Amino acid sequence: MAKQYDFPAIAAIGRIDSWRANSGKAVKHTVRYFLASRLLSAKKLLEVVRAHWSIENNLHWVLDVLFDEDACRSRKDHAAENLALIRKLAINTLQATPGPARISHKMLQARWNNDFLLSALAICDNPTWRGRVASHEA
């Protein structure tokens, strides 16, 4: 199948059945399929999928809560894409900056303290950091 569909790295196909119950509503059953580059036990596949969605959900929470991304109404030309890129660059910069553990605290620190802001921006000039960001975009 991997050769047939030109996905040479496929080693396995996984299936996860999930049920979601909300109070007062019918239980919803969902089936999802995943392509894997190596054989995984059912338990490991579930761990990998949950870890992936945990990271995705965390990123979207940060973008929405801290940057109020859902309220952004930029629609003209490439404005929305450009602003999304700037937000993600800001998250990466703040995560790489030593200081308070929470990004929200680092955002406040950068607003209140010019030295902290400049030290955070200086991280962007570090060749090691630039390489790490480029590898995440690939």
Side-chain angles (χ1 to χ4, degrees), residues 7 14 21 24 31 42 52 57-58 86 106 123-125 132 136:
F7 287 117
V31 177
H52 169 78
N57 289 336
N58 184 42
I86 290 168
K106 289 181 183 180
I123 287 175
C124 297
D125 196 32
R132 196 182 81 198
H136 282 115

Side-chain angles (χ1 to χ4, degrees), residues 28-118:
K28 181 179 179 183
H29 175 239
T30 305
V31 177
R32 295 176 291 159
Y33 293 92
F34 298 89
L35 303 177
S37 59
R38 62 187 174 106
L39 294 176
L40 300 171
S41 68
K43 182 178 179 180
K44 185 65 177 175
L45 175 64
L46 190 58
E47 287 173 12
V48 168
V49 170
R50 284 182 174 164
H52 169 78
W53 284 109
S54 173
I55 292 167
E56 280 291 314
N57 289 336
N58 184 42
L59 174 63
H60 291 293
W61 183 87
V62 169
L63 288 170
D64 188 31
V65 173
L66 298 181
F67 289 92
D68 204 16
E69 187 175 60
D70 287 348
C72 182
R73 296 293 172 235
S74 299
R75 302 284 184 261
K76 188 170 182 177
D77 300 327
H78 298 285
E81 294 171 58
N82 292 338
L83 289 170
L85 182 66
I86 290 168
R87 287 184 200 103
K88 289 176 185 170
L89 180 63
I91 290 170
N92 286 341
T93 302
L94 291 172
Q95 286 175 336
T97 303
R102 293 183 177 180
I103 290 180
S104 60
H105 292 174
K106 289 181 183 180
M107 288 173 70
L108 287 173
Q109 190 77 5
R111 287 181 200 146
W112 295 334
N113 183 336
N114 285 340
D115 290 334
F116 182 84
L117 174 62
L118 292 173

